[in-house]
Amino acid sequence: MSSGPDAGRAGSQAADGQRLFVGGEWVEPDGGHYAVIDPATEETVGWAPEASREQVRAAAASAREAFGPWSRTPAGERAAVLGRAADIIRGQLVPYAELAQAESGATTGTARGMQVGVGAARFRRYATVEPGEWAIAPQVNEAGPFGRAAVMGALAVRQPVGVVTCITSYNNPWANPAGKIAPALAMGNTVVVKPAPQDPLSVYRMAEALEAAGVPRGVVNVVNGQSVAVGETAVDAPDVDMVSFTGSTAVGQRIAEVCGRAMKRQLMELGGKGAALVFDDADLASAVSGIGTTFSFYSGQICTAPTRVLAQRGIHDRLVEQLAAYARVLKVGDPRLPDTVVGPVISAAHRERVESYVELGRKEGAVVVAGGERPSSGPGFLVAPTVLADCRPEMRVVREEIFGPVVVVVPFDDEEEGIALANDSDYGLIDYVWSADVARAFRVARRLRAGGVGVNTVGRNMEAPFGGFKKSGVGRDVGSYALHAYSEVQAIVWPG
């Protein structure tokens, strides 16, 4: 077994590219390799593997074989592996962050803190496991199966689901996979991880850390590729019991159809179009800085962003003016420079998609009050922070997820209209309310059809349940809720 943070690295990468991790072995991909591109420089970061369907099925079969022994391993021993992995990741924070930055285009602070730092914290969080069983109060059955009264005792026990396929998003190649892998392993599941094709190399570093931490063979498997077939096979492989997916609603719907036919468990964290209700009495500086995280946090490539601003008419014009001023002063450019706030989006194709939405907004009648033009002709898939005003609820830029540094602003008159506009969406992940009247803010929050609501903040409590209403997802994770998500509840009943 590997014994140090770099023990697996020599075997994980061949001279010409990254190997897959299947059944505890680093294996050459059947489909060769493809280039991973740095969104900031447009240069090649490394060479990612292209798995075949057969290799994905082999990964699932390895996970199935490892499931029995791993699920019977004492919870404390499983937790110890996660704790060692957390230490290894923390010890390699700088080089891991440099790779994550090169793959994803994140700024240095984001790569170190929100990507690798949060990834390590999530492994550390699940190195402390809650009790997996709890007693249920005895119940008197007046007429039991033998025709006489009986006192019945019961125990609820959390059992692992089995083999979990984890399909992760490109916007955070550390925190997102760690948020799936760590609680799944803590509960005794085994995993097949299919990283996003744009930035998969970081996930292989995570696999190396787990290997060095002593994870048994087959418990963690990593396979990826650009082909749709890789993801399809990772979902429909007969050895897979559950799929945990973060990504677009459209892809999530297709995965759900496959899972439904085979009765596989699902955890879906999908798209968002977060409404930010800003009332007349709000602290505008707080609201502007909160909404402005759409520009600075992953360059808007995050489903929780407050991209749909609903401004009460009394402060509408001032809010638009201040948002535009805020957007204009943000430094856009090379994420490695210390003063850069907004780095690139993930690819040239995605930049074109975001730009096409801005142009669509113009055609629909929106006014571009900040941004709207490509900020540089040099390298990097850069998009200027953009504010679209004079928007109407029926516009596509208001209704559809753009997934870039673009904010749309819609006016409203009173509380009832603001709530109605916020709920008039296919999505319901996280909404936000800004008001000096805290009682009103909480009253409004309870009426919003969203899985989470921020009141005068965009911050998150990482023990609070995370997930969405409507087309924003199925299930909840984070904190103890993730342990629930990756487990089944079994009832054991006996005569008292």
Side-chain angles (χ1 to χ4, degrees), residues 102-370:
E103 288 191 284
S104 68
T107 61
T108 300
T110 296
R112 293 186 180 184
M114 298 306 298
Q115 293 187 346
V116 182
V118 171
R122 286 182 168 172
F123 277 102
R124 174 59 58 195
R125 162 63 177 86
Y126 296 106
T128 303
V129 182
E130 297 179 342
E133 59 184 49
W134 59 99
I136 296 171
Q139 182 183 73
V140 178
N141 292 345
E142 295 298 335
F146 304 109
R148 61 181 182 272
V151 178
M152 305 302 296
L155 188 68
V157 180
R158 291 206 175 275
Q159 299 278 18
V161 177
V163 176
V164 181
T165 285
C166 303
I167 303 178
T168 67
S169 60
Y170 71 72
N171 58 355
N172 195 324
W174 275 93
N176 185 256
K180 299 177 184 296
I181 296 169
L185 296 186
M187 281 305 308
N189 302 282
T190 55
V191 296
V192 176
V193 187
K194 191 274 177 186
Q198 298 93 333
D199 51 5
L201 301 178
S202 290
V203 181
Y204 287 98
R205 303 293 82 75
M206 190 180 299
E208 289 171 354
L210 284 160
E211 182 188 29
V215 73
R217 295 165 64 91
V219 170
V220 175
N221 304 269
V222 185
V223 290
N224 77 282
Q226 292 181 307
S227 169
V228 173
V230 175
E232 288 178 342
T233 308
V235 170
D236 66 19
D239 284 309
V240 170
D241 301 296
M242 174 180 172
V243 176
S244 176
F245 171 72
T246 300
S248 73
T249 295
V251 175
Q253 288 172 320
R254 294 197 292 272
I255 291 173
E257 290 172 0
V258 175
C259 290
R261 289 194 293 271
M263 297 303 293
K264 298 184 181 188
R265 286 280 300 277
Q266 305 166 45
L267 179 60
M268 299 280 183
E269 197 264 283
L270 307 177
K273 190 72 175 179
L277 282 84
V278 185
F279 286 93
D280 284 348
D281 62 349
D283 179 337
L284 285 192
S286 173
V288 168
S289 64
I291 295 164
T293 60
T294 298
F295 310 132
S296 58
F297 200 42
Y298 301 126
S299 302
Q301 299 168 112
I302 185 165
C303 51
T304 59
T307 58
R308 187 166 53 108
V309 178
L310 307 176
Q312 197 165 15
R313 289 193 187 275
I315 50 87
H316 173 273
D317 292 351
R318 284 185 291 143
L319 180 61
V320 169
E321 180 182 341
Q322 290 183 32
L323 274 174
Y326 186 95
R328 292 189 195 105
V329 300
L330 297 178
K331 172 68 180 300
V332 182
D334 185 345
R336 294 170 178 83
L337 298 178
D339 59 342
T340 295
V341 179
V342 184
V345 296
I346 194 66
S347 67
H350 190 57
R351 175 174 61 182
E352 291 175 3
R353 179 181 184 274
V354 175
E355 290 175 340
S356 72
Y357 266 107
V358 175
E359 184 58 30
L360 173 63
R362 284 192 176 103
K363 292 178 180 178
E364 290 181 314
V367 176
V368 180
V369 295

